[in-house]
Amino acid sequence: MGITRRSFLQSAAAMLAATACSTAATPASKPADTKPADTKPAGKEPATAAPTAPPKPATEAKPSGDAKPTAAAQPAAAGQPRSGGELQFIVSAEPPSFDAHRETTFAMLHPTAPHYSLLIKFDPDKYPEVMPDLAESWDISADKLTYTFKIRDGVKFHDGSPCTARDIKVSHDRIINPPEGIVSARKAQYAAVESVEAPDPRTVVFKLKYPSASLLSLLASPWNQIYSADKLASDPKFPEKNVLGTGPFKFVEYVPGSHWVGQKHPDYFQPGLPYLDGFRATFIRESAAQVAAVRGGRAHVEFRGFTPPARDDLVRALGDKITVQESPWVSNLLVVFNTEKKPFDDPRVRRAMNLALDRWEGSEALSKITFVKPVGALVRPGSTFARPDAELEKMEGFSRNVAAAREEARRLLREAGVPDGFSFTIKNRDIPQPYESNGVFVIDQWRRIGLNATQVQLEASGYVSDLRSGNYDVCIDFIADYLDEPDLQLSKFISSERSPFNYGRYQDAELDQLYDQQTRETDPEKRKQLVWRFENRVNNDQAYAFPILWWQRIVPHASTLQGYRVLPSHYLNQDLTNVWLSE
């Protein structure tokens, strides 16, 4: 039988108390050269920054019908935007580095996004359509193999140097074909791109090997921050420890363990924006302290999200002084194995650990205490390429007959020679919600098939370092994307020689071929079948990694915070360009 809600909650409480967290590595000291020169740009912005042609939507990238905030969660109109004030927000982890091309954590993106511009970005009011940012217009050739972007004139970096097509080309080259020694987290997603050219200072051209329905959406990625080509030429790793962009806010300071500050850029290329005088991001790891900060008026918001109990506590305490926005969330947690370590190099062991999980009961229990709930495979439940429950239940680890699944799991472990009571360590992030609670959940489930796991929690830089170096046996990893798009969700699982964020450290030519087939397939139904075949190999046949539960986004914020709309990703709408405070 599956576990009951009460038994899991009791077990979770006991295990949370007993689970030891290892000491996190000390955050790096503040880089001496992090603050860019406070040089006022020479020259003025053109009279208008409006696009010269209507923005074109990202075709073939429509979300499922529930991918927008619920009607009751829409931000209420509160008059005309006003200028001034400092936004105070919370970030629950610290950045491993400042390089968006390298990192995958919100802890880097939330503080840095206000400092940078993108080529194009998602329109928060018409998501998932895209809108201009540094590009003011674009054209797509009839054969869909050439994308030509016209770049705004007169844009300058915060140190006063001009931003031209060359900076955009070099930044995207760094993502698509990173130079020696540079890690690009998303290189695999741009396999369709043949070249990036800058024929003149205001034109960027992307030439493709084959049509890609998702290219505009990929180019609108919030991770594609535009860096100075000159700075990259002098130091390819410049963005790791330095902040220099063209965004609405200039960098002021970062004090590790404390805060990050940005101030309004007076010469931002969009006249009249931003509205805020500045922002202050405070690093607070503990959930209770985050809630207390919002409740006590010391912070307006934590943009990632709170748990249902935290939401309810804030609503009871603050009434109409708090606004709650909710949305589906393109995020989940995964169990990932180092396939170079015994006994996790054996697919039978990995399959057994997947079969042990009762996700349906886990969803019922965990959704009461944290922001996870939907049960699904490698693409978000309810999205275009997701399996209905009837199909999902045919996959290993998703059956509702948990007793039979666990019997098969025990058989596989015996066959693989794993002794009853075998002990190992699972590494996890030191973020309480939802990482710690999900770690407790899987440990409890594995205990039921005779496995004893100990959870070791690490702060962001140590966690990322261990996963990248292979210094782990089993870990809790994540999928967190800005769009329901298989090119994004599946790229983590192709061979590690193609995807540096395949922490399983395996090579699998069959997965690589399936990924390439699905990305080129223009028929949605045929593409869905390829996606399902890919999921079957990852989850069932090899069990390289498997999802635990998907997330449900809940963002309570001070009602004085206006101009912000929650989207199905905590990576989006974080540049604060249109955010304002009503008092």
Side-chain angles (χ1 to χ4, degrees):
M1 293 177 61
I3 61 172
T4 64
R5 181 170 68 90
R6 174 173 292 183
S7 68
F8 171 67
L9 290 175
Q10 290 173 339
S11 175
M15 295 193 74
L16 280 170
T19 302
C21 301
S22 67
T23 303
T26 305
S29 59
K30 179 183 176 182
D33 56 353
T34 321
K35 186 176 180 180
D38 189 14
T39 306
K40 185 175 181 180
K44 292 291 183 180
E45 181 65 19
T48 176
T52 57
K56 301 178 181 180
T59 57
E60 305 295 332
K62 296 180 180 179
S64 64
D66 62 351
K68 295 181 180 179
T70 58
Q74 301 296 328
Q80 293 298 313
R82 62 183 289 272
S83 296
E86 181 182 68
L87 179 70
Q88 306 265 355
F89 65 89
I90 297 164
V91 184
S92 56
E94 300 207 35
S97 83
F98 307 159
D99 186 351
H101 300 172
R102 171 189 179 91
E103 303 302 343
T104 60
T105 173
F106 72 97
M108 187 288 310
L109 195 64
H110 284 197
T112 67
H115 302 304
Y116 288 97
S117 304
L118 309 172
L119 175 63
I120 54 177
K121 64 182 181 179
F122 287 96
D123 185 336
D125 296 319
K126 298 178 181 178
Y127 176 83
E129 293 184 9
V130 301
M131 62 184 291
D133 202 13
L134 287 176
E136 60 184 14
S137 65
W138 56 89
D139 290 302
I140 304 172
S141 64
D143 62 6
K144 301 187 184 303
L145 294 177
T146 304
Y147 288 64
T148 303
F149 294 85
K150 184 58 64 176
I151 308 305
R152 296 179 190 270
D153 192 20
V155 178
K156 296 184 182 295
F157 286 98
H158 295 156
D159 65 354
S161 59
C163 176
T164 69
R166 173 173 169 260
D167 302 289
I168 295 169
K169 167 188 160 50
V170 169
S171 294
H172 284 88
D173 279 341
R174 189 173 185 265
I175 297 166
I176 298 167
N177 293 299
E180 184 73 24
I182 298 299
V183 174
S184 170
R186 299 158 194 90
K187 174 182 177 180
Q189 298 165 10
Y190 297 91
V193 178
E194 179 70 41
S195 65
V196 186
E197 301 173 0
D200 63 64
R202 293 195 60 201
T203 306
V204 175
V205 180
F206 289 78
K207 293 189 175 180
L208 276 57
K209 305 169 190 173
Y210 49 84
S212 170
S214 62
L215 185 69
L216 274 182
S217 296
L218 295 176
L219 292 178
S221 166
W223 303 99
N224 290 14
Q225 293 178 353
I226 303 303
Y227 299 141
S228 164
D230 287 341
K231 295 296 186 183
L232 292 175
S234 61
D235 178 6
K237 294 187 177 182
F238 178 83
E240 291 185 19
K241 295 183 178 181
N242 300 273
V243 180
L244 178 61
T246 61
F249 294 89
K250 300 175 68 171
F251 176 78
V252 175
E253 67 174 357
Y254 168 44
V255 179
S258 179
H259 62 270
W260 182 296
V261 177
Q263 68 180 27
K264 180 176 184 173
H265 177 39
D267 294 302
Y268 183 50
F269 57 77
Q270 295 192 48
L273 295 175
Y275 298 115
L276 297 169
D277 288 337
F279 71 88
R280 183 184 185 92
T282 303
F283 298 102
I284 303 176
R285 192 185 77 85
E286 294 298 331
S287 301
Q290 295 173 11
V291 174
V294 174
R295 184 171 178 171
R298 298 185 300 279
H300 296 95
V301 65
E302 198 275 0
F303 284 116
R304 181 164 160 266
F306 279 168
T307 65
R311 170 200 60 202
D312 297 343
D313 175 58
L314 289 169
V315 169
R316 281 193 300 269
L318 298 176
D320 62 3
K321 293 181 180 179
I322 199 81
T323 296
V324 178
Q325 298 191 55
E326 301 194 8
S327 169
W329 202 343
V330 192
S331 293
N332 76 12
L333 292 183
L334 306 160
V335 173
V336 176
F337 301 92
N338 185 338
T339 61
E340 296 177 344
K341 299 281 188 73
K342 291 185 178 299
F344 308 108
D345 60 338
D346 190 329
R348 293 171 296 183
V349 177
R350 304 192 300 261
R351 287 177 57 208
M353 294 172 69
N354 185 22
L355 285 162
L357 303 191
D358 185 348
R359 292 171 171 88
W360 305 101
E361 288 284 0
S363 169
E364 177 67 19
L366 286 168
S367 64
K368 303 296 190 296
I369 60 174
T370 189
F371 46 75
V372 300
K373 186 172 185 179
V375 178
L378 303 185
V379 294
R380 186 180 64 81
S383 63
T384 302
F385 298 98
R387 302 170 192 244
D389 285 355
E391 290 292 329
L392 186 64
E393 291 169 23
K394 298 175 184 177
M395 297 183 72
E396 288 192 352
F398 293 91
S399 171
R400 294 183 186 269
N401 187 349
V402 180
R406 287 180 178 155
E407 182 59 35
E408 173 64 6
R410 286 186 282 268
R411 185 193 70 77
L412 287 168
L413 290 176
R414 289 194 300 270
E415 186 179 284
V418 176
D420 188 54
F422 176 75
S423 298
F424 61 95
T425 295
I426 179 170
K427 290 193 174 180
N428 199 357
R429 299 178 79 176
D430 68 342
I431 300 174
Q433 299 297 346
Y435 287 85
E436 185 176 9
S437 53
N438 275 254
V440 168
F441 168 66
V442 296
I443 288 171
D444 174 77
Q445 302 291 281
W446 293 332
R447 179 179 58 80
R448 295 163 188 267
I449 60 169
L451 299 176
N452 295 321
T454 300
Q455 182 170 204
V456 174
Q457 294 177 264
L458 304 171
E459 53 83 29
S461 62
Y463 166 85
V464 170
S465 176
D466 279 2
L467 266 59
R468 286 175 176 166
S469 66
N471 183 29
Y472 77 95
D473 298 323
V474 184
C475 72
I476 301 289
D477 193 11
F478 59 91
I479 289 177
D481 287 315
Y482 54 88
L483 191 71
D484 288 312
E485 167 52 56
D487 283 0
L488 300 176
Q489 279 86 69
L490 304 185
S491 65
K492 175 183 282 286
F493 305 102
I494 60 177
S495 294
S496 59
E497 66 183 10
R498 291 183 57 180
S499 174
F501 290 88
N502 168 354
Y503 297 127
R505 308 175 75 81
Y506 56 82
Q507 308 300 322
D508 192 317
E510 183 174 335
L511 278 180
D512 296 348
Q513 183 179 33
L514 285 169
Y515 182 85
D516 293 341
Q517 287 177 320
Q518 68 81 28
T519 194
R520 298 184 189 210
E521 181 56 65
T522 56
D523 182 291
E525 188 57 37
K526 291 180 180 178
R527 190 183 188 200
K528 180 190 294 184
Q529 295 305 313
L530 290 167
V531 169
W532 289 10
R533 285 174 58 190
F534 188 101
E535 289 181 325
N536 285 341
R537 182 158 182 81
V538 172
N539 186 88
N540 293 6
D541 303 343
Q542 296 297 321
Y544 293 126
F546 45 79
I548 305 173
L549 292 167
W550 286 76
W551 302 4
Q552 185 74 17
R553 198 171 180 205
I554 304 170
V555 182
H557 60 80
S559 296
T560 54
L561 169 59
Q562 300 288 323
Y564 177 76
R565 180 185 296 273
V566 69
L567 295 174
S569 169
H570 58 306
Y571 297 155
L572 296 176
N573 205 16
Q574 293 302 139
D575 60 20
L576 308 182
T577 303
N578 296 295
V579 169
W580 55 283
L581 298 174
S582 61
E583 59 181 60

